[in-house]
Amino acid sequence: MKIALMDSGIGLLAAAAAVRRLRPDAELVLSSDPGSMPWGPRTPEDVTARALAVAEAAAAHRPDALIVACNTASVHALPALRARLEPGIPVIGTVPAIKPAAAGGGPFAIWATPATTGSPYQRGLIREFADGASVTEVPCPGLADAVEHADQAGIDTAIAAAAARTPDDVTTVVLGCTHYELVAERIRAAVQRPGTAPLVLHGSAGAVAAQALRRTGEAAAPQAPEQGTLTVLLGGREGVLPATALTYDEGRLLQAVSPAR
């Protein structure tokens, strides 16, 4: 089984690690274009063009499925990606986990990029899945970029600013950008209020990994032999995991199980 994942940069690490945990024997293809990151401020047309290029580089390796491990690309480019690749390659998009957050019953916040925050797309998901719930949309300027470059001071500053915009009564935070999942515990520590129940965080990595297996007709086999290969594509060319990826647990997991070949 071969699963490809695409993103502008290293935001795909969380979903790739989730696939690796479910199927240590799966071949992984990670396709990104760090030189064009971030995609959030770009026009929908530009995002679509870049997403198609990154996806086609992955498709050349003939994967059994492609995970669009990027919220921005899923918002703007998913129809074009599916039109180009399906039915030959199933395409799995990334949607913020608003539905399970609303099911939890408490006030929740959605941390997302400034471009996604307040967008018709996100507002539509809130109306569909969280009508009547107490929802706060929290823009996180600079956080994805700081995570991409492993800028620790920048990460701390962006998280602190977003935490200050998050109401004290929030019990759950939806991580509406795949990059944020790489610093989930730092987000938890910043938002958790003393004396309150543990904060619930909702990311998308586990859900998209499970959906990729379903779309390929495969089952989870976490005890399978750790024989999966790892192919890294940077701007369409084979390379290795960027040094910044190895500053995160997910990147180190991928490198430990299957060093890029």
Side-chain angles (χ1 to χ4, degrees):
M1 178 180 57
K2 182 183 291 186
I3 302 293
L5 301 96
M6 60 161 285
D7 185 23
S8 56
I10 63 173
L12 48 66
L13 290 177
V19 174
R20 175 61 76 231
R21 292 186 188 102
L22 291 175
R23 288 296 298 258
D25 58 339
E27 298 179 46
L28 298 182
V29 178
L30 311 186
S31 183
S32 64
D33 186 17
S36 68
M37 197 269 169
W39 285 355
R42 298 183 181 276
T43 65
E45 295 77 16
D46 192 9
V47 170
T48 297
R50 293 175 186 276
L52 284 168
V54 170
E56 287 174 343
H61 289 255
R62 303 177 65 83
D64 298 302
L66 171 69
I67 295 173
V68 184
C70 174
N71 293 87
T72 298
S74 296
V75 170
H76 297 302
L78 202 53
L81 290 168
R82 285 178 168 156
R84 184 72 59 89
L85 299 177
E86 290 188 339
I89 301 174
V91 178
I92 296 94
T94 298
V95 177
I98 293 172
K99 185 176 182 179
F108 71 92
I110 306 169
W111 284 31
T113 64
T116 299
T117 301
S119 66
Y121 168 77
Q122 184 160 289
R123 292 281 169 86
L125 292 175
I126 293 170
R127 284 193 303 271
E128 183 176 359
F129 297 119
D131 188 34
S134 175
V135 184
T136 303
E137 296 179 271
V138 179
C140 305
L143 181 53
D145 205 32
V147 170
E148 177 73 20
H149 295 98
D151 174 0
Q152 305 305 322
I155 292 169
D156 288 342
T157 298
I159 288 177
R165 291 190 287 271
T166 302
D168 289 346
D169 64 347
V170 157
T171 61
T172 300
V173 172
V174 174
L175 303 178
C177 171
T178 55
H179 279 77
Y180 302 172
E181 297 190 50
L182 300 178
V183 291
E185 291 310 311
R186 292 165 75 169
I187 292 172
R188 185 193 304 279
V191 178
Q192 181 71 56
R193 311 301 180 191
T196 62
L199 184 76
V200 177
L201 295 180
H202 282 290
S204 302
V208 296
Q211 177 67 356
L213 293 188
R214 284 192 291 270
R215 292 291 301 274
T216 58
E218 296 282 350
Q223 303 306 317
E226 295 182 352
Q227 298 173 344
T229 60
L230 180 67
T231 300
V232 176
L233 304 175
L234 304 172
R237 298 183 178 182
E238 290 200 27
V240 298
L241 285 173
T244 51
L246 301 180
T247 65
Y248 300 103
D249 290 342
E250 294 84 351
R252 291 192 291 270
L253 168 67
L254 294 169
Q255 182 75 349
V257 173
S258 49
R261 57 177 175 79

